[in-house]
């Protein structure tokens, strides 16, 4: 939830939900003044596996589980939640799943991008990037590489179309691109979120950092938001996913 909220632009949000955004599950209590996009539907499976105490209703047990999962999630991030469902993969009939599908459709119709024309060239390049990402240990490519990938599609894009593609997908949080950093196009936003999560964290989770050797520089990070390269290297020294591409993360930081 926090990762989803990380890529949510508050200045694009409305205080009230769109009229097309229906809430199918009326039991879901949502404060309309705190509704944010993109919407999230919580679906809990294995309802038939839940063990109840004597006299306890299954709905109460569901609520307890949900509360335990979201207790550490900020109120703002919870503003993305629209509805919740609890299902059994083996005992529920098709009507339950149809209800979820209808809820998703109603929410989709309320999105700004609903029913807008979408260039075929974008779809072709998206598919190529998805395949390219599977073979990358670090989901970062350069603008030059993107241009080459585009040339390999049935309908290559020119420079202007590529810029439009990048800006659009950056806007919808499908990738990360900044014009002043053309050598770093991040294809996996979750990977970038995980990287920054290692840096921006509570002090109690920084126990592995060489506190005494660089305590002043660590103090700069915690109190002033200044990140020294030595601290960054120390944070990632045990993070194999990130340390092999430390230069890229330094640039993005």
């Amino acid at each position: 939830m926090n990762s989803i909220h990380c890529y949510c632009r508050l200045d694009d949000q409305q205080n009230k939900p769109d009229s097309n955004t229906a809430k199918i599950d009326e039991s879901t209590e949502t404060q309309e003044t705190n509704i944010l996009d993109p919407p999230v539907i919580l679906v809990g499976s294995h309802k038939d596996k839940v063990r109840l105490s004597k006299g306890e209703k299954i709905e109460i047990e569901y609520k307890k589980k949900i509360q335990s999962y979201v207790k550490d999630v900020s109120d703002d991030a919870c503003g993305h939640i629209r509805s919740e469902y609890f299902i059994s993969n083996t005992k529920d009939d098709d009507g339950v799943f149809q209800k979820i599908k209808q809820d998703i459709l109603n929410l989709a119709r309320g999105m700004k991008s609903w029913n807008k024309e979408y260039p075929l060239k974008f779809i072709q390049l998206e598919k190529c990037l998805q395949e390219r990402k599977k073979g990358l240990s670090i989901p970062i490519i350069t603008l030059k590489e993107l241009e080459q990938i585009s040339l390999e599609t049935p309908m290559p894009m020119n420079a202007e179309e590529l810029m439009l593609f990048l800006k659009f997908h950056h806007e919808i949080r499908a990738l990360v691109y900044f014009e002043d950093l053309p050598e770093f196009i991040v294809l996996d936003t979750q990977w970038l979120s995980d990287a920054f999560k290692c840096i921006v964290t509570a002090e109690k989770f920084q126990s592995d950092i060489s506190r005494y050797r660089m305590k002043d520089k660590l103090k700069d990070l915690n109190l002033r938001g200044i990140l020294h390269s030595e601290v960054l290297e120390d944070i990632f020294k045990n993070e194999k996913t990130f340390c092999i591409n430390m230069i890229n993360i330094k640039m993005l930081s």
Side-chain angles (χ1 to χ4, degrees):
M1 291 300 304
N2 286 328
S3 295
I4 292 172
H5 186 61
C6 179
Y7 294 100
C8 159
R9 288 180 55 180
L10 295 179
D11 55 341
D12 286 343
Q13 306 297 326
Q14 297 179 347
N15 288 332
K16 293 184 178 181
D18 190 276
S19 58
N20 290 330
T21 305
K23 292 194 282 291
I24 300 299
D25 187 357
E26 296 180 356
S27 66
T28 302
E29 297 180 0
T30 307
Q31 294 183 355
E32 293 189 356
T33 56
N34 194 35
I35 289 180
L36 300 175
D37 288 331
V40 171
I41 297 175
L42 302 179
V43 179
S45 61
H46 296 82
K47 182 175 69 174
D48 51 304
K49 302 293 185 182
V50 177
R51 295 184 178 181
L52 300 176
S53 302
K54 186 176 181 180
E56 188 175 26
K57 292 184 178 181
I58 195 167
E59 291 80 5
I60 296 176
E61 187 64 26
Y62 297 158
K63 296 293 183 182
K64 288 181 180 178
K65 288 291 184 182
I66 290 293
Q67 290 172 1
S68 68
Y69 292 144
V70 302
K71 65 179 181 179
D72 295 324
V73 179
S74 67
D75 290 345
D76 285 341
C78 287
H80 295 274
I81 300 174
R82 296 293 196 275
S83 52
E84 57 194 36
Y85 294 91
F86 307 99
I87 62 173
S88 168
N89 296 21
T90 58
K91 295 184 178 181
D92 283 336
D93 57 35
D94 291 341
V96 175
F97 300 98
Q98 185 59 40
K99 190 176 181 181
I100 298 175
K101 291 179 181 178
Q102 188 61 48
D103 198 357
I104 294 172
L105 179 59
N106 289 340
L107 288 171
R109 285 172 173 163
M111 298 294 98
K112 292 188 296 183
S113 57
W114 175 261
N115 209 28
K116 289 188 177 181
E117 293 185 357
Y118 198 71
L120 178 60
K121 291 182 178 181
F122 280 19
I123 298 174
Q124 293 173 343
L125 185 53
E126 285 169 0
K127 290 181 178 179
C128 289
L129 289 178
Q130 287 295 329
E131 289 300 316
R132 180 64 176 270
K133 186 169 67 173
K134 292 178 182 178
L136 296 174
S137 57
I138 299 296
I140 296 177
I141 62 173
T142 67
L143 182 57
K144 290 291 185 183
E145 289 176 309
L146 180 65
E147 292 171 351
Q148 183 58 43
I149 295 172
S150 175
L151 291 175
E152 297 170 2
T153 64
M155 301 174 65
M157 298 186 202
N158 57 37
E160 183 179 356
E161 290 172 329
L162 274 178
M163 285 299 104
L164 182 62
F165 174 89
L166 288 169
K167 290 178 180 179
F168 173 77
H169 285 80
H170 178 85
E171 185 72 18
I172 65 173
R173 284 56 171 173
L175 54 76
V176 178
Y177 169 74
F178 300 102
E179 291 188 52
D180 56 339
L181 290 172
E183 299 302 305
F184 303 98
I185 300 173
V186 182
L187 302 180
D188 187 347
T189 55
Q190 183 60 53
W191 176 88
L192 185 61
S193 176
D194 291 341
F196 281 114
K197 187 168 61 177
C198 295
I199 303 170
V200 185
T201 186
E203 288 188 54
K204 64 180 180 180
F205 298 121
Q206 297 174 343
S207 57
D208 292 335
I209 298 177
S210 305
R211 291 180 175 273
Y212 302 106
R213 182 167 53 84
M214 56 181 74
K215 60 181 180 180
D216 290 337
K217 293 179 180 179
L218 189 58
K219 186 177 180 180
D220 281 343
L221 173 62
N222 293 327
L223 298 182
R224 302 171 61 194
I226 299 175
L227 179 61
H228 297 277
S229 59
E230 296 90 342
V231 174
L232 184 62
E233 290 171 2
D234 202 77
I235 290 173
F236 286 131
K237 67 182 180 182
N238 295 320
E239 297 287 345
K240 295 181 180 179
T241 306
F242 306 117
C243 67
I244 58 177
N245 207 33
M246 183 66 65
I247 295 177
N248 289 349
I249 296 177
K250 284 182 181 179
M251 291 293 294
L252 291 168
S253 300

